[in-house]
Amino acid sequence: MTPPTSPLVDPFGRTVRDLRISITDRCNFRCTYCLPEEGLAWLPREELLRFEEIVRVARVCVERFGFNGIRLTGGEPTVRAQLPGLVGQLAALGTDLSLTTNGAGFGLLAADLAAAGLRRVNISCDSLRRERFAAMARRDALPQVLDGIDAALAVDLSPVKVNCVLVRGRNDDEILDLAAFGRDWGVTMRFIEFMPLDAEKAWDETAVVPADEVVATIDAVWPLDAVAERGAQPAERWRYRDGAGEIGVVASVSRSFCGTCDRVRLTADGMFRSCLFATREADLRSLLRAGASDDELAAAIAAEVGTKWAGHSIGRVDFIRPSRSMSQIGG
Ligand code: SAM
């Protein structure tokens, strides 16, 4: 018999309920703020968790600890074969199931993913200018990404959110164009501060475009009101006063939101992390492949959550960059 569900509370009193699962470290883009041009050494296939292993970890999190959110990410999750099959198995767990994708291959998959039980999608798009998009993603794929956004709207994966990482001097002159795009297309733009998780280690604080600047720039043209309830969401929400939807700003660097964090992560190779910036991880893949019971998996997950920090320390002298990049951990 399955033991009763009991919430997983970290040492700072936060209840952990949200699991980000990276299903591959591979990506078909080479965004300059994430990956080097030549890519990274991809994980050998046998090191990736198999679908049944991913579903098992997710099931333990849901059944034992009452997790209510699962987000699939990568790398680029749409490059993993049979994605709708995985989505169907995870959807059966009954949580809010979402996906983060670069959108380039999403148009072809949208209907199957929605039919399999995907509820929401975030699609990344850092520029609306084709040449600049190609320079930032190192792939000339803006038309495919726009098709992907269109497909997400067509199958009603709403609200469709569009993630944009702003990098000073690269795309910060497009804040208003991107906001106008969100208003016109009926999607929620989410402006994300550039974090020190780029594989090329080029990040520095001067490249970060602070969330306050984004809000002020947009508010000067289309007035915004703060949306009060935010919960554990990373994005602070702002609503257009004229009723044309909303934006989100993810102030991970200038105003971290660790105090309400309810997230943990499973990497594509089965390492369980209590924070994007954690310097340690629990090896669930070895446990799974050694025949561990659900009790043993649950104990390993709970122990790792017991090491969750109060918050990351970007910008402080004691900050230690994680040894893996965003694409390897899963963004
Ligand atoms: N490939 C998918 C995508 O493009 O959305 C999912 C994985 S990607 C790592 C997830 C999100 O992380 C994307 O919105 C991406 O722009 C963002 N990201 C990657 N590196 C980042 C960095 N150094 N700082 C902030 N966001 C980053």
Side-chain angles (χ1 to χ4, degrees):
M1 208 176 70
T2 311
T5 303
S6 83
L8 196 50
V9 181
D10 78 11
F12 299 92
R14 297 165 297 194
T15 301
V16 171
R17 302 176 221 272
D18 186 79
L19 178 64
R20 304 277 162 120
I21 305 176
S22 172
I23 60 170
T24 178
D25 60 326
R26 289 170 195 249
C27 190
N28 45 359
F29 283 14
R30 297 286 183 275
C31 300
T32 48
Y33 53 76
C34 188
L35 282 169
E37 184 153 20
E38 63 283 5
L40 294 166
W42 307 129
L43 290 165
R45 198 179 169 75
E46 64 278 8
E47 289 186 17
L48 287 183
L49 286 195
R50 297 186 289 270
F51 282 0
E52 64 267 26
E53 292 171 327
I54 293 172
V55 174
R56 178 137 183 252
V57 173
R59 183 177 55 72
V60 167
C61 288
V62 172
E63 287 180 357
R64 298 296 178 97
F65 303 122
F67 279 36
N68 58 13
I70 296 176
R71 174 173 293 277
L72 299 181
T73 182
E76 172 48 41
T78 60
V79 304
R80 182 120 186 213
Q82 315 296 338
L83 180 58
L86 175 63
V87 164
Q89 291 180 55
L90 291 171
L93 298 175
T95 69
D96 180 36
L97 181 61
S98 56
L99 174 82
T100 301
T101 171
N102 64 30
F106 190 74
L108 297 172
L109 285 167
D112 288 347
L113 292 175
L118 186 70
R119 294 205 199 156
R120 292 182 299 112
V121 68
N122 286 26
I123 297 182
S124 303
C125 181
D126 302 318
S127 174
L128 297 167
R129 302 182 195 173
R130 187 163 174 172
E131 280 178 21
R132 179 181 287 175
F133 183 102
M136 285 187 78
R138 298 196 186 98
R139 294 290 182 271
D140 179 18
L142 180 60
Q144 291 94 308
V145 172
L146 296 178
D147 283 351
I149 296 172
D150 212 17
L153 290 166
V155 297
D156 200 22
L157 287 172
S158 58
V160 175
K161 296 182 184 166
V162 175
N163 287 352
C164 171
V165 177
L166 289 171
V167 182
R168 181 74 75 203
R170 296 299 300 270
N171 60 347
D172 54 334
D173 56 349
E174 273 191 78
I175 294 172
L176 289 176
D177 290 350
L178 288 156
F181 170 81
R183 291 165 58 87
D184 291 347
W185 281 51
V187 296
T188 301
M189 290 301 308
R190 289 167 94 247
F191 296 95
I192 302 174
E193 290 180 351
F194 180 22
M195 291 183 272
L197 285 168
D198 54 319
E200 291 180 317
K201 300 192 167 61
W203 182 92
D204 78 56
E205 254 167 307
T206 63
V208 178
V209 181
D212 285 348
E213 179 181 326
V214 177
V215 173
T217 304
I218 298 174
D219 179 68
V221 179
W222 297 293
L224 291 163
D225 292 318
V227 178
E229 81 282 7
R230 173 186 180 187
Q233 293 308 308
E236 294 165 31
R237 294 164 55 199
W238 295 78
R239 191 172 290 140
Y240 288 112
R241 209 166 292 157
D242 64 7
E246 53 179 71
I247 64 160
V249 287
V250 183
S252 357
V253 179
S254 68
R255 193 167 49 241
S256 80
F257 36 83
C258 306
T260 56
C261 180
D262 68 347
R263 277 172 297 287
V264 286
R265 293 168 190 271
L266 181 67
T267 65
D269 55 349
M271 303 298 138
F272 184 87
R273 299 174 67 90
S274 63
C275 173
L276 195 50
F277 293 94
T279 49
R280 49 171 287 160
E281 39 194 34
D283 181 356
L284 296 190
R285 187 186 64 204
S286 293
L287 281 177
L288 285 160
R289 294 186 183 174
S293 64
D294 284 0
D295 283 345
E296 287 166 321
L297 286 172
I301 290 167
E304 201 57 30
V305 167
T307 70
K308 194 166 162 73
W309 296 334
H312 70 64
S313 53
I314 300 174
R316 297 209 318 248
V317 285
D318 55 344
F319 177 65
I320 306 169
R321 266 186 85 108
S323 56
R324 305 217 260 177
S325 73
M326 188 78 149
S327 69
Q328 294 168 313
I329 300 168

